[in-house]
Amino acid sequence: MIKFFRKIRQRLLTENKFSKYLIYAIGEIVLVVIGILIALQVNNWNQRQQFKELSSIYIEDFKREINSDIVALSKRIASNERMTQNVNAILTTLATKNELSKEEATLFFEQNELLMRESYFIPETGAFKQLDANGNASLILSKNLRDNLYQYYTLNDRNEKNGEISTQLYQHNFISVNILSELITREFLENKIGNSLNRPRLDLETLRQSTTYLGALLAKREITVSQNRQYKNIKEKAENLLELLTSY
Protein backbone atom coordinates (compact mmCIF):
# COMPACT_ATOMS: atom_id res chain seq x y z
CA MET A 1 0.00 0.00 0.00
CA ILE A 2 2.85 2.40 0.85
CA LYS A 3 4.60 1.55 -2.48
CA PHE A 4 1.33 2.22 -4.30
CA PHE A 5 1.02 5.75 -2.85
CA ARG A 6 4.69 6.43 -3.45
CA LYS A 7 4.33 5.55 -7.13
CA ILE A 8 1.38 7.93 -7.46
CA ARG A 9 3.38 10.76 -5.88
CA GLN A 10 6.35 10.11 -8.18
CA ARG A 11 4.17 10.00 -11.33
CA LEU A 12 2.46 13.28 -10.42
CA LEU A 13 5.80 14.96 -9.81
CA THR A 14 7.38 13.67 -13.02
CA GLU A 15 4.36 14.84 -15.00
CA ASN A 16 4.60 18.31 -13.38
CA LYS A 17 1.04 18.07 -12.16
CA PHE A 18 1.76 20.05 -8.99
CA SER A 19 -1.85 21.07 -8.26
CA LYS A 20 -2.98 17.46 -8.42
CA TYR A 21 0.00 16.45 -6.31
CA LEU A 22 -0.95 19.06 -3.70
CA ILE A 23 -4.52 17.77 -3.58
CA TYR A 24 -3.22 14.25 -3.33
CA ALA A 25 -0.83 15.21 -0.50
CA ILE A 26 -3.62 16.89 1.42
CA GLY A 27 -5.80 13.82 0.91
CA GLU A 28 -3.02 11.61 2.18
CA ILE A 29 -2.62 13.77 5.29
CA VAL A 30 -6.38 13.59 5.88
CA LEU A 31 -6.24 9.81 5.62
CA VAL A 32 -3.39 9.70 8.14
CA VAL A 33 -5.31 11.95 10.55
CA ILE A 34 -8.43 9.82 10.17
CA GLY A 35 -6.36 6.71 10.86
CA ILE A 36 -4.91 8.28 14.00
CA LEU A 37 -8.38 9.33 15.21
CA ILE A 38 -9.73 5.85 14.61
CA ALA A 39 -6.80 4.36 16.52
CA LEU A 40 -7.41 6.77 19.40
CA GLN A 41 -11.10 5.88 19.46
CA VAL A 42 -10.31 2.18 19.53
CA ASN A 43 -7.77 2.74 22.31
CA ASN A 44 -10.25 4.84 24.32
CA TRP A 45 -12.92 2.20 23.83
CA ASN A 46 -10.53 -0.50 25.05
CA GLN A 47 -9.64 1.61 28.10
CA ARG A 48 -13.32 2.22 28.88
CA GLN A 49 -14.01 -1.50 28.63
CA GLN A 50 -11.10 -2.29 30.96
CA PHE A 51 -12.33 0.41 33.35
CA LYS A 52 -15.85 -1.05 33.37
CA GLU A 53 -14.59 -4.60 33.82
CA LEU A 54 -12.30 -3.69 36.73
CA SER A 55 -15.04 -1.57 38.31
CA SER A 56 -17.48 -4.49 38.03
CA ILE A 57 -14.95 -6.84 39.65
CA TYR A 58 -14.56 -4.48 42.62
CA ILE A 59 -18.33 -4.06 42.97
CA GLU A 60 -18.89 -7.82 42.99
CA ASP A 61 -16.06 -8.30 45.51
CA PHE A 62 -17.54 -5.63 47.77
CA LYS A 63 -21.00 -7.21 47.54
CA ARG A 64 -19.65 -10.64 48.41
CA GLU A 65 -17.56 -9.41 51.34
CA ILE A 66 -20.23 -7.15 52.80
CA ASN A 67 -22.81 -9.90 52.54
CA SER A 68 -20.34 -12.11 54.44
CA ASP A 69 -20.07 -9.37 57.09
CA ILE A 70 -23.85 -9.28 57.46
CA VAL A 71 -24.01 -13.05 57.97
CA ALA A 72 -21.18 -12.93 60.53
CA LEU A 73 -22.78 -10.01 62.39
CA SER A 74 -26.14 -11.78 62.51
CA LYS A 75 -24.46 -14.79 64.15
CA ARG A 76 -22.58 -12.60 66.63
CA ILE A 77 -25.77 -10.72 67.56
CA ALA A 78 -27.71 -13.94 68.11
CA SER A 79 -24.86 -15.40 70.18
CA ASN A 80 -24.65 -12.27 72.32
CA GLU A 81 -28.39 -12.29 72.91
CA ARG A 82 -28.11 -15.86 74.21
CA MET A 83 -25.20 -14.71 76.38
CA THR A 84 -27.34 -11.96 77.91
CA GLN A 85 -30.14 -14.45 78.54
CA ASN A 86 -27.62 -16.70 80.32
CA VAL A 87 -26.58 -13.89 82.66
CA ASN A 88 -30.23 -13.15 83.44
CA ALA A 89 -30.92 -16.84 84.08
CA ILE A 90 -27.97 -17.07 86.49
CA LEU A 91 -29.10 -13.96 88.36
CA THR A 92 -32.64 -15.38 88.58
CA THR A 93 -31.24 -18.63 90.02
CA LEU A 94 -29.25 -16.68 92.61
CA ALA A 95 -32.31 -14.61 93.51
CA THR A 96 -34.78 -17.50 93.82
CA LYS A 97 -32.82 -20.61 94.84
CA ASN A 98 -30.96 -21.68 97.96
CA GLU A 99 -30.03 -25.17 96.81
CA LEU A 100 -29.76 -26.85 93.44
CA SER A 101 -30.49 -30.41 92.39
CA LYS A 102 -27.79 -32.28 90.46
CA GLU A 103 -29.50 -31.45 87.17
CA GLU A 104 -29.96 -27.81 88.15
CA ALA A 105 -26.32 -27.55 89.24
CA THR A 106 -25.16 -29.01 85.90
CA LEU A 107 -27.26 -26.44 84.02
CA PHE A 108 -25.99 -23.66 86.31
CA PHE A 109 -22.37 -24.58 85.59
CA GLU A 110 -23.05 -24.73 81.84
CA GLN A 111 -24.64 -21.29 81.90
CA ASN A 112 -21.60 -19.87 83.70
CA GLU A 113 -19.12 -21.57 81.40
CA LEU A 114 -20.86 -20.12 78.35
CA LEU A 115 -20.13 -16.64 79.70
CA MET A 116 -16.43 -17.27 79.19
CA ARG A 117 -16.93 -17.49 75.45
CA GLU A 118 -16.05 -14.33 73.61
CA SER A 119 -17.59 -12.57 70.66
CA TYR A 120 -15.28 -10.97 68.11
CA PHE A 121 -16.27 -9.53 64.73
CA ILE A 122 -13.58 -9.65 62.03
CA PRO A 123 -14.81 -7.87 58.89
CA GLU A 124 -13.83 -8.79 55.35
CA THR A 125 -11.46 -6.08 54.08
CA GLY A 126 -9.65 -7.60 51.09
CA ALA A 127 -11.46 -5.65 48.36
CA PHE A 128 -11.21 -2.31 50.16
CA LYS A 129 -7.51 -2.72 50.98
CA GLN A 130 -6.77 -3.55 47.35
CA LEU A 131 -8.84 -0.61 46.07
CA ASP A 132 -7.17 1.80 48.48
CA ALA A 133 -3.61 0.49 48.05
CA ASN A 134 -3.80 0.63 44.24
CA GLY A 135 -5.34 4.10 44.20
CA ASN A 136 -8.38 2.78 42.33
CA ALA A 137 -11.04 4.74 44.19
CA SER A 138 -11.85 6.57 40.92
CA LEU A 139 -13.25 3.28 39.61
CA ILE A 140 -16.27 3.93 41.85
CA LEU A 141 -17.89 6.74 39.88
CA SER A 142 -20.65 7.45 42.42
CA LYS A 143 -19.36 9.83 45.10
CA ASN A 144 -22.16 8.76 47.43
CA LEU A 145 -21.21 5.10 47.10
CA ARG A 146 -17.51 5.89 47.43
CA ASP A 147 -18.10 7.94 50.61
CA ASN A 148 -20.27 5.19 52.12
CA LEU A 149 -17.60 2.58 51.40
CA TYR A 150 -14.93 4.63 53.20
CA GLN A 151 -17.27 5.36 56.12
CA TYR A 152 -18.17 1.69 56.51
CA TYR A 153 -14.59 0.42 56.50
CA THR A 154 -13.42 3.24 58.76
CA LEU A 155 -16.16 2.31 61.24
CA ASN A 156 -15.09 -1.35 61.17
CA ASP A 157 -11.43 -0.45 61.64
CA ARG A 158 -12.24 1.81 64.59
CA ASN A 159 -14.51 -0.83 66.15
CA GLU A 160 -11.86 -3.54 65.90
CA LYS A 161 -8.98 -1.43 67.22
CA ASN A 162 -10.86 0.48 69.94
CA GLY A 163 -13.76 -1.83 70.78
CA GLU A 164 -13.12 -5.49 70.12
CA ILE A 165 -9.52 -5.59 71.36
CA SER A 166 -10.28 -3.80 74.64
CA THR A 167 -13.31 -6.05 75.18
CA GLN A 168 -11.15 -9.14 74.65
CA LEU A 169 -8.56 -7.97 77.15
CA TYR A 170 -11.20 -7.13 79.76
CA GLN A 171 -12.88 -10.49 79.20
CA HIS A 172 -9.58 -12.41 79.57
CA ASN A 173 -8.20 -10.51 82.55
CA PHE A 174 -11.33 -9.90 84.59
CA ILE A 175 -14.61 -11.55 83.63
CA SER A 176 -13.51 -15.11 82.80
CA VAL A 177 -11.06 -15.29 85.71
CA ASN A 178 -13.55 -14.08 88.31
CA ILE A 179 -16.35 -16.32 87.10
CA LEU A 180 -14.22 -19.45 86.85
CA SER A 181 -12.56 -18.94 90.25
CA GLU A 182 -15.98 -19.03 91.94
CA LEU A 183 -17.15 -22.07 89.96
CA ILE A 184 -14.37 -24.44 91.04
CA THR A 185 -16.43 -26.30 93.64
CA ARG A 186 -16.78 -29.96 94.56
CA GLU A 187 -19.68 -30.49 92.13
CA PHE A 188 -17.96 -28.67 89.28
CA LEU A 189 -14.76 -30.72 89.54
CA GLU A 190 -16.60 -33.98 89.95
CA ASN A 191 -18.44 -33.18 86.73
CA LYS A 192 -15.28 -32.12 84.90
CA ILE A 193 -12.56 -34.48 86.12
CA GLY A 194 -14.41 -37.06 88.22
CA ASN A 195 -12.72 -35.95 91.46
CA SER A 196 -13.75 -33.30 93.95
CA LEU A 197 -10.16 -32.57 95.12
CA ASN A 198 -11.75 -31.88 98.52
CA ARG A 199 -13.10 -28.54 97.30
CA PRO A 200 -16.06 -26.92 99.13
CA ARG A 201 -19.55 -27.66 97.87
CA LEU A 202 -21.46 -25.20 95.68
CA ASP A 203 -23.00 -22.56 97.93
CA LEU A 204 -25.35 -20.05 96.29
CA GLU A 205 -25.18 -17.77 99.31
CA THR A 206 -21.41 -17.54 98.93
CA LEU A 207 -21.91 -16.56 95.30
CA ARG A 208 -24.51 -13.97 96.27
CA GLN A 209 -22.04 -12.40 98.68
CA SER A 210 -19.13 -12.47 96.23
CA THR A 211 -18.58 -8.97 94.87
CA THR A 212 -16.07 -10.19 92.29
CA TYR A 213 -18.44 -12.86 90.97
CA LEU A 214 -21.50 -10.59 90.77
CA GLY A 215 -19.35 -7.81 89.33
CA ALA A 216 -18.12 -10.15 86.61
CA LEU A 217 -21.69 -11.22 85.77
CA LEU A 218 -22.94 -7.64 85.51
CA ALA A 219 -19.88 -6.52 83.55
CA LYS A 220 -20.39 -9.41 81.11
CA ARG A 221 -23.99 -8.38 80.56
CA GLU A 222 -23.16 -4.70 80.07
CA ILE A 223 -20.28 -5.42 77.70
CA THR A 224 -22.39 -7.86 75.68
CA VAL A 225 -25.31 -5.44 75.38
CA SER A 226 -22.95 -2.62 74.35
CA GLN A 227 -21.21 -4.87 71.86
CA ASN A 228 -24.54 -5.84 70.33
CA ARG A 229 -25.53 -2.20 69.91
CA GLN A 230 -22.37 -1.66 67.91
CA TYR A 231 -22.89 -4.85 65.90
CA LYS A 232 -26.43 -3.80 65.01
CA ASN A 233 -25.19 -0.35 63.97
CA ILE A 234 -22.52 -1.89 61.72
CA LYS A 235 -25.00 -4.40 60.31
CA GLU A 236 -27.47 -1.63 59.41
CA LYS A 237 -24.74 0.30 57.60
CA ALA A 238 -23.64 -2.90 55.83
CA GLU A 239 -27.20 -3.58 54.63
CA ASN A 240 -27.57 0.00 53.36
CA LEU A 241 -24.21 -0.23 51.62
CA LEU A 242 -25.17 -3.53 50.00
CA GLU A 243 -28.31 -1.89 48.60
CA LEU A 244 -26.19 0.92 47.11
CA LEU A 245 -23.80 -1.60 45.56
CA THR A 246 -26.66 -3.64 44.12
CA SER A 247 -28.30 -0.61 42.52
CA TYR A 248 -24.97 0.86 41.25
Side-chain angles (χ1 to χ4, degrees), residues 109 180 183-200:
F109 289 136
L180 183 61
L183 285 183
I184 303 177
T185 60
R186 175 186 298 270
E187 295 87 346
F188 181 81
L189 290 176
E190 285 177 345
N191 182 266
K192 288 294 179 183
I193 64 174
N195 193 311
S196 69
L197 299 181
N198 294 322
R199 292 287 298 173

Side-chain angles (χ1 to χ4, degrees), residues 1 20 24-25 27 30 36 43 54 59-60 114 123 125 151 154 156 163 165 187 212 241:
M1 182 64 72
K20 289 184 179 182
Y24 165 81
V30 170
I36 292 172
N43 184 59
L54 188 54
I59 293 298
E60 291 304 313
L114 285 172
T125 59
Q151 289 169 11
T154 299
N156 277 336
I165 291 177
E187 295 87 346
T212 56
L241 183 53

Side-chain angles (χ1 to χ4, degrees), residues 66-103:
I66 291 171
N67 188 65
S68 177
D69 285 352
I70 292 171
V71 172
L73 285 163
S74 297
K75 291 179 179 178
R76 297 274 67 77
I77 290 168
S79 176
N80 276 353
E81 287 174 349
R82 289 192 296 271
M83 200 77 70
T84 304
Q85 292 168 3
N86 265 339
V87 175
N88 292 336
I90 292 168
L91 291 173
T92 298
T93 297
L94 292 174
T96 60
K97 299 279 187 177
N98 289 319
E99 291 185 6
L100 298 178
S101 66
K102 184 177 180 180
E103 291 77 16

Side-chain angles (χ1 to χ4, degrees), residues 112-165:
N112 277 271
E113 285 181 273
L114 285 172
L115 299 186
M116 287 179 274
R117 295 184 181 177
E118 301 165 11
S119 182
Y120 199 103
F121 170 58
I122 303 176
E124 299 284 349
T125 59
F128 181 76
K129 285 181 178 178
Q130 187 178 36
L131 181 84
D132 196 42
N134 294 335
N136 285 332
S138 59
L139 289 169
I140 311 299
L141 296 177
S142 168
K143 184 179 183 303
N144 182 46
L145 176 56
R146 192 165 59 247
D147 289 346
N148 274 272
L149 281 168
Y150 274 89
Q151 289 169 11
Y152 175 74
Y153 285 98
T154 299
L155 173 63
N156 277 336
D157 185 63
R158 189 182 301 120
N159 176 66
E160 186 170 4
K161 290 179 179 177
N162 300 336
E164 300 291 78
I165 291 177

